[in-house]
Amino acid sequence: MHTPIRIELPTLFGMNTVNAYLFLKPEPVLIDCGEQTEQSWKTLNKALAAHHLHINDLAKVIVTHAHVDHIGMAGKIAKESNKTEIWVSEYAYNWATNPQGMNEIRQGVIQEYLKLFPQLEGSPLQQMFNSAYKLMAAAWGDIPPEKIRKFTKDETLHFGQHEWQVIYAPGHCNHQTCFYQPNTQQLLSADMLLAVTPTPVIDVTLEPPYQREKSLHQMIASYQKFAQLEVSTVYPGHYTPFDNHREVITKQLNRITQRKTECLKHIKAGTHDFMALLEKLYGTNFNIPALPMLVGYLDLLASEDLIKAEKTDQGIKYFAV
């Protein structure tokens, strides 16, 4: 069995590193490629050199999803190489061809949503969001359009001397795909299956009119789909590979249920404000992922008719039904 070669690339964000996976035969193929930074570029070149390869030897870079830590360096690779193609799914294609435009759309939807919570205006959390957005924009290079190839969820991809099924896996984001090899039971899980619960980012719908997705709903559905697969080894987008995918899924689903129940308990006890709920669940030193997680819990509770949201002069308030 040909196992992927894990390359840990540095990232500007909280995960410390992001995984790219190298397959050598029948041609060099890279799954994901990190951010466009000097440190990441040097790390990737050093890793390739360890296998007697250069950037120009890569036949293709296949991107799991269009987040900067997975696609940011694709443009630089494509420009530096005479032959490397950048493969993206039908869901990520708009992000690959127009990253600035799509990020502006997403940022606009996020800002409109955050206006529902006036307490966030000018808060350290909003400042962190703005800083992260600037970092992301600086580390995401444009890909030459002629180097981009689009694949669909119904295709089979050929790399690593095997045929890999494309699995659409929304949740962390709605343009994420994973790759499954049924004979070897290997799963390239991107940010769908991680050792810790991935964040369901505040995302926008795939097509206009762009609206906010209910990402945690999608994540739960994807977990249930992945639990049906027979998997020997998971190769995640961050952290080390693991072999107990159902145990990981069960643990993370239970964690979501637990935190959703805690959220409802606080609302019933009289905590109706979004920022106050954040502090109840995460303390005063919460970071950016805390916000979309709470958004997801509130979405779940509302869809189960356990809470209702009311607009007030102080923003949205949440009450138990």
Side-chain angles (χ1 to χ4, degrees):
M1 180 173 70
H2 295 272
T3 59
I5 299 164
R6 178 182 174 222
I7 300 174
E8 287 188 85
L9 299 172
T11 173
L12 299 169
F13 301 94
M15 295 290 197
N16 296 321
T17 63
V18 59
N19 292 330
Y21 291 100
L22 175 65
F23 291 85
L24 299 176
K25 296 179 179 180
E27 59 185 4
V29 171
L30 194 66
I31 309 298
D32 289 340
C33 59
E35 300 154 7
Q36 184 173 288
T37 64
E38 184 177 353
Q39 186 182 7
S40 188
W41 180 251
K42 288 180 178 178
T43 303
L44 177 58
N45 276 274
K46 183 178 179 180
L48 292 176
H51 298 279
H52 311 290
L53 297 173
H54 300 279
I55 289 292
N56 198 51
D57 293 316
L58 293 174
K60 60 183 72 117
V61 173
I62 303 176
V63 176
T64 60
H65 61 296
H67 281 174
V68 63
D69 51 337
H70 296 261
I71 195 176
M73 201 153 56
K76 184 172 177 62
I77 292 172
K79 291 171 185 175
E80 292 286 335
S81 169
N82 294 325
K83 66 178 183 180
T84 308
E85 296 179 341
I86 310 301
W87 287 46
V88 299
S89 74
E90 58 189 307
Y91 307 104
Y93 183 75
N94 287 344
W95 289 86
T97 55
N98 184 23
Q100 181 177 347
M102 291 304 299
N103 275 309
E104 287 176 356
I105 290 170
R106 179 170 175 257
Q107 189 73 357
V109 169
I110 290 174
Q111 293 305 321
E112 281 300 310
Y113 181 69
L114 295 184
K115 286 179 183 178
L116 298 173
F117 314 106
Q119 306 91 332
L120 285 171
E121 185 68 30
S123 69
L125 189 60
Q126 187 173 53
Q127 292 171 17
M128 282 191 283
F129 261 107
N130 293 339
S131 296
Y133 180 74
K134 291 177 182 177
L135 281 175
M136 176 189 66
W140 190 327
D142 290 333
I143 307 170
E146 68 275 10
K147 291 290 190 76
I148 298 175
R149 300 291 181 268
K150 179 169 64 173
F151 62 85
T152 72
K153 66 178 177 62
D154 298 318
E155 286 190 53
T156 298
L157 302 185
H158 304 266
F159 56 87
Q161 297 186 322
H162 290 292
E163 295 184 348
W164 296 73
Q165 297 173 2
V166 177
I167 301 179
Y168 179 47
H172 170 62
C173 63
N174 65 359
H175 46 78
Q176 179 173 241
T177 48
C178 301
F179 310 120
Y180 177 62
Q181 212 302 307
N183 296 325
T184 62
Q185 299 183 349
Q186 294 172 302
L187 175 66
L188 292 158
S189 71
D191 288 0
M192 180 61 234
L193 294 183
L194 302 175
V196 299
T197 305
T199 302
V201 302
I202 299 178
D203 216 346
V204 297
T205 49
L206 292 171
E207 297 177 352
Y210 294 107
Q211 302 175 43
R212 183 180 68 85
E213 286 277 24
K214 293 184 177 179
S215 299
L216 195 53
H217 283 79
Q218 294 179 323
M219 181 175 286
I220 290 171
S222 289
Y223 274 143
Q224 293 167 343
K225 176 165 58 177
F226 276 68
Q228 302 305 311
L229 294 177
E230 295 299 327
V231 176
S232 61
T233 308
V234 175
Y235 297 93
H238 301 269
Y239 313 122
T240 58
F242 54 90
D243 58 8
N244 57 336
H245 85 293
R246 289 196 180 99
E247 181 181 332
V248 168
I249 290 171
T250 298
K251 180 179 179 181
Q252 294 181 2
L253 284 173
N254 288 343
R255 177 67 171 171
I256 290 169
T257 299
Q258 175 191 340
R259 297 296 268 176
K260 179 188 70 172
T261 302
E262 289 175 13
C263 184
L264 179 59
K265 178 181 176 182
H266 291 308
I267 292 172
K268 287 182 175 180
T271 303
H272 306 299
D273 176 76
F274 187 88
M275 290 297 291
L277 284 168
L278 268 179
E279 291 192 13
K280 288 285 188 180
L281 288 173
Y282 297 100
T284 56
N285 294 320
F286 51 77
N287 53 20
I288 288 177
L291 190 147
M293 290 304 301
L294 176 56
V295 170
Y297 301 141
L298 293 169
D299 283 343
L300 290 174
L301 290 169
S303 68
E304 295 168 12
D305 295 323
L306 294 173
I307 64 169
K308 61 180 180 179
E310 294 184 4
K311 289 186 177 181
T312 73
D313 293 339
Q314 293 79 40
I316 297 289
K317 303 289 183 182
Y318 298 93
F319 300 91
V321 174

